[in-house]
Structure formats: structure tokens, C-alpha cells
Amino acid sequence: MKVSYYPGCSLEATARDYRESIAYVCGGLGIDLEEIPDWSCCGATAAHSTDESLSIALPGRNLTLAEKIGLDVVVPCPMCFNRLKTAEHEIQKKTRKELPHHFSGKIKVWDLLDFLSRPDRLSQIQAKVQQPLKDLSVVCYYGCMANRPPRITGVDQYENPQNMDTLLKALGTQVQDWSYKTDCCGASHTIARPDIVHTLVQRLYERVLDAGAEAIVVSCQMCQANLDMPQATIAEIFRKQYHLPVYYFTELIGVSWKALEAKTWLSRHMVDPQTLLKRKGLI
Amino acid sequence: MEKPELECIEMNSGFINEIEEGSGIKVSACFQCRKCTNGCPVTFAMDLYPDQVMRYIQLGLKQEIRESATIWVCASCETCTTRCPNEIDIAGVMDFLKQSVVKEKGQAAEDKVLAFHQIFMDDIRKRGRVFETGLVGKYMLHSGDWVTKLKDRSILDEMLLGWTMFRKGRLNLFPKRIKGKAEIEKLFNNSL
Ligand code: SF4
Ligand code: SF4
């Protein structure tokens, strides 16, 4: 099947591991990702913090481009997904005739995780599992933007989302339940207020350990960066040892399919994600 | 016993009207249940709690709100907006307040947070996409954060992180530009 694809700026660089594992998984499922030609940045937090009209017009331009292709658009970055959905919502309001873009809503904007965890694709993913990840104990961390606010995202289980849990269980993973699936990691403050991030992320690490997990699984490259990159710094500040690898769900699908490429993706992480998998005999 | 002295504030309904008309968000519906504040992850870094922001708006305390750190340290996580029993888009109010400071070229209580947003927007305007590799460096120069980071030596950690990321193939050396740059420029011009 063919869908449109809006990768977003970070998948071109810092989140290369996410991009490569998505390409592998979609390739394996026979999903053809057609990148929206000449897509532009969605504006992210910067736009909605500084200029309302740009916060709609920047993602709006991409919706118009996607609708020209006429295929549903799949978005791996929850921030981009959230901004595109917000633009969709605003553009379709009758009161906002001044907006420069058109979007009739004939195509659907998908969050990648939601797209891949629908029942038919889930069974396809499961059918390709060559080694169940049965000794791996993880928590699923969903972050903010794929689910909130539900009036924009259209998600029902926004306080306790289940789709990543279900998907990982289908890979054989031991998924621990915890209450912090959608607590914020503060990603928008990574550069200007790292102190805020350190406090929020350290709290999450503690909750992960309380839940008895040995790793975190995410579907957001900002959450990944925010939980992975400063781990050594946070350990130093709070005088505590942490070793919690942060995997993308797509990487773990790849590992369960015995993807040879998995080691390349994992080599891009900051917190060593390979030793744990080696210990479990998975890579 | 001496009676405590009560400070009187004069209510000014101009401010709440300005916000409700400008943003379409009904701040007057807030009945101070504090559910927003109870679920907010960054109250530890705030000088006014989200429910207080709502109350201050109702009372017309414009200056206090404009000068607060809260509107800038809000992480836009949308928890408050999702949970408010009166369906008030509190995160949207925070955005509206930040946008008004920017529009009126006012002083942001958290100038570094604003500096980062502005560098991000400049990047979009210049190329249509954000070039992550250049972003941090530009922010450091623009915000003057490099001076602080040099003093507490955290700049070394950051340089090391940058180098590690580069080695791991996560930093691009050359920015990408989109073809529709003129279109983006037009969007920016129209918004001013
Ligand atoms: S949750 Fe809503 S009603 Fe309650 S204090 Fe916050 S803004 Fe007011
Ligand atoms: S959006 Fe801002 S104010 Fe609301 S809960 Fe999140 S951080 Fe707190």
C-alpha cells in the first residue's frame, strides 16, 4: 500500500536511527512511504509560542501539499502530527476564512504508531517475528503530543494509551504497567532551560525503575533525545547511576524480525542499547 | 487583636475581554478548581500557578502576568487543557500571552526561552526547514548563554556531546533548503 510521508526536520538529522528503522519496518510490511515533495517545517513549539497565524500556516502548507497527492499522510514525529492536526482543525473552521491554505479533510493524518498498531498491520508485524523479545522488560513512554489534547488528536485513551503496549506485547516483550506514560519530559526546554528537563526526566527514570523495567520504549524522537542524551549528566547531578536504554518501537520491531541493520540504528544512541539486547541473546 | 490589613485591587475587565476576544478562549468559565495546577509537571519552575494565571486574568492583573516566568516555562504539554472540567484551553492562553509579548516587542521574563524560539523561527524563514546542527550554536551566540556555560564549564560537556553526535552520524553538515522558500517568506510577511 502507498501513503504520503511527512518526516519532519529532526528525522533528517538527529533522529536518523528512527528514520532508518521506520524505512525498514514499512519496507517489510509492503508500505510505500511517499515523501511529500518540498515539505516544510511544521513550526513546532516556536511557532505557537510566538505567532498564531504562522503556527497554522506553516503546517497548513504541508496539508495542502499532501492533499494534492491524495493519499493519507503518515507522521512519525508526534510534535509534527500535533501541529498538522491543529492546522486541520483550524482550517476547517468556518470562522477562519483568512487562512491561506485549503484542506478539505479527504485524507487522514496519521500518527505513525497509531497507523502501525491497527489490528491488520499488527498481525502482519506479529507474523514476521523471528525471535520474541521475551526476556526484555520495558515501559512504554508515549509523551504528550500524540495524544493531547484529544479534541485535536482524536484519541480516546489519552490518559492511559495502549497501542504501543499492545504492539510490544505482540513482539513478546514484557511490558510493565506504569502511571507516567504521558507525563511530559520537557523537550521544548532542552536548549534554553535544561535544568527543567533534568528534573522532569530524573523523575521519569525513577518511575521506570519503580515499575521494574530495564529500558524505555518511545515513538517520539524528542522524547528519545531527551531521555537518552542527558542521562549521564542527570546521573551526575542527582548522584545516582542510571543505565536505561531508550529504544524506538520501530527498532524493537526490527530486532524481533532479526534485522541485520538493527546494530547500525542502535549505534547512534547515547546510552548503550546493545549490551542489554546482547545479554538477552537478541543481537 | 489587630485586624489584618487587606490589600484592595481594582478589577479591570479590559484585560479578560482582550484575551477572550483575541484567543476565543473563555477564561471567565474558570471556577478555580485547580485541576490544571495539580496535573501540571512544571509548577516547580513557575512563579504563578496555572490556576493563578486564570484568576489574575479575571482580575485584570495584566502587568503581573506579562512579567511572569510561568507563561515561558510552561512546557505546552496540554495536560491542563485536556483535564479542565470547563474545557478551557489553558495552554492556549499561555500561548496567547507569549504571542502578545512578542507582538508588542515586550520583555520576556525568560528571555532565553524566547531567544530559542526566535532562532528557530529565523531558521524556518531562511530555509523552510530547521537545520538542527546550526541551531544550538546560533542560540548560544544570540542569547549570550555561552558566557554562562563557559564560566561553569558546562560548555565542554556540550562540545563533547556535539562531537559524539557527529561521530554517530546524527548531525548533518549542510542545511537543506526547500524550493518553496518564497512561499514561506510570504507567510512570514503576512503574519507581521
Ligand atoms: S482546571 Fe479549569 S476551571 Fe479548574 S482552575 Fe484550571 S482553568 Fe480553572
Ligand atoms: S501546558 Fe503548561 S501549564 Fe498546562 S500543564 Fe502543561 S506545562 Fe502546565
Side-chain angles (χ1 to χ4, degrees), chain A residues 177-196:
Chain A
D177 204 12
W178 69 322
S179 305
Y180 303 86
K181 288 179 176 178
T182 61
D183 273 33
C184 182
C185 72
S188 60
H189 289 315
T190 303
I191 307 294
R193 288 293 306 267
D195 57 317
I196 293 182

Side-chain angles (χ1 to χ4, degrees), chain B residues 3-168:
Chain B
K3 272 193 194 155
E5 215 173 294
L6 292 177
E7 196 192 328
C8 289
I9 41 173
E10 208 171 309
M11 262 182 75
N12 155 19
S13 58
F15 188 40
I16 189 167
N17 291 341
E18 186 186 316
I19 288 178
E20 293 199 337
E21 275 159 32
S23 69
I25 303 168
K26 244 184 140 20
V27 177
S28 48
C30 170
F31 54 27
Q32 291 288 291
C33 70
R34 292 191 156 182
K35 198 171 178 184
C36 48
T37 298
N38 284 327
C40 173
V42 292
T43 45
F44 66 89
M46 289 176 165
D47 48 6
L48 285 177
Y49 294 144
D51 70 277
Q52 291 176 316
V53 169
M54 308 309 276
R55 191 68 184 132
Y56 274 40
I57 294 173
Q58 291 173 340
L59 294 172
L61 300 172
K62 183 170 177 170
Q63 192 73 6
E64 286 80 351
I65 288 190
R66 289 297 192 82
E67 288 167 4
S68 79
T70 292
I71 58 176
W72 301 100
V73 300
C74 160
S76 307
C77 76
E78 305 274 354
T79 307
C80 50
T81 297
T82 300
R83 294 181 182 168
C84 173
N86 292 322
E87 292 180 13
I88 304 170
D89 179 5
I90 302 129
V93 172
M94 300 287 184
D95 277 343
F96 182 80
L97 293 165
K98 282 178 277 197
Q99 291 158 8
S100 328
V101 172
V102 174
K103 207 178 285 168
E104 288 157 29
K105 300 202 178 353
Q107 180 70 30
E110 290 280 330
D111 51 343
K112 286 178 182 167
V113 176
L114 176 59
F116 183 66
H117 292 325
Q118 284 173 328
I119 283 161
F120 199 98
M121 294 306 279
D122 284 350
D123 232 39
I124 301 177
R125 185 172 197 163
K126 218 174 270 160
R127 303 191 190 85
R129 289 187 197 166
V130 167
F131 176 49
E132 288 176 317
T133 314
L135 215 55
V136 179
K138 262 197 265 170
Y139 161 78
M140 294 263 226
L141 290 176
H142 184 97
S143 66
D145 221 12
W146 65 275
V147 182
T148 337
K149 296 203 172 184
L150 198 64
K151 277 191 195 138
D152 69 9
R153 297 174 70 85
S154 62
I155 204 159
L156 293 174
D157 292 341
E158 272 180 34
M159 284 164 76
L160 187 67
L161 182 67
W163 170 242
T164 317
M165 286 185 55
F166 175 68
R167 263 192 16 244
K168 287 175 180 282

Side-chain angles (χ1 to χ4, degrees), chain A residues 9-17 19 35-55 57-58 61 65 82-83 100-101 144-145 147-151 158-159 182-184 186-189 191-197 199-200 203 224-225 228-229 233 236 248 266-270, chain B residues 40-45 69 72-83 89 91 94-100 102-103 110 112-114 116-118 120-121 124 128-133 135-136 139 145 149 157-158 161 164-172 176-181 183-184 187-192:
Chain A
C9 302
S10 15
L11 265 76
E12 292 205 308
T14 48
R16 205 168 144 185
D17 33 14
R19 183 185 72 202
E35 194 164 319
I36 298 172
D38 212 41
W39 60 268
S40 46
C41 175
C42 74
T45 313
H48 72 73
S49 299
T50 55
D51 189 312
E52 206 277 335
S53 79
L54 283 172
S55 79
L58 289 171
R61 174 178 182 272
L65 291 174
N82 194 292
R83 294 318 304 167
H101 298 103
C144 308
M145 299 279 96
N147 293 298
R148 277 192 304 262
R151 148 185 87 82
Y158 49 87
E159 291 285 3
T182 61
D183 273 33
C184 182
S188 60
H189 289 315
I191 307 294
R193 288 293 306 267
D195 57 317
I196 293 182
V197 171
T199 306
L200 293 175
R203 273 188 206 163
Q224 204 284 339
D228 184 45
M229 284 192 204
T233 311
E236 207 174 299
Y248 289 109
L266 297 171
S267 70
R268 306 194 193 287
H269 291 210
M270 293 293 161
Chain B
C40 173
V42 292
T43 45
F44 66 89
W72 301 100
V73 300
C74 160
S76 307
C77 76
E78 305 274 354
T79 307
C80 50
T81 297
T82 300
R83 294 181 182 168
D89 179 5
M94 300 287 184
D95 277 343
F96 182 80
L97 293 165
K98 282 178 277 197
Q99 291 158 8
S100 328
V102 174
K103 207 178 285 168
E110 290 280 330
K112 286 178 182 167
V113 176
L114 176 59
F116 183 66
H117 292 325
Q118 284 173 328
F120 199 98
M121 294 306 279
I124 301 177
R129 289 187 197 166
V130 167
F131 176 49
E132 288 176 317
T133 314
L135 215 55
V136 179
Y139 161 78
D145 221 12
K149 296 203 172 184
D157 292 341
E158 272 180 34
L161 182 67
T164 317
M165 286 185 55
F166 175 68
R167 263 192 16 244
K168 287 175 180 282
R170 288 175 59 173
L171 292 181
N172 285 351
K176 289 204 176 158
R177 272 187 179 81
I178 66 159
K179 291 195 211 93
K181 248 190 60 191
E183 235 180 288
I184 302 283
L187 298 179
F188 271 84
N189 285 333
N190 287 348
S191 86
L192 299 177

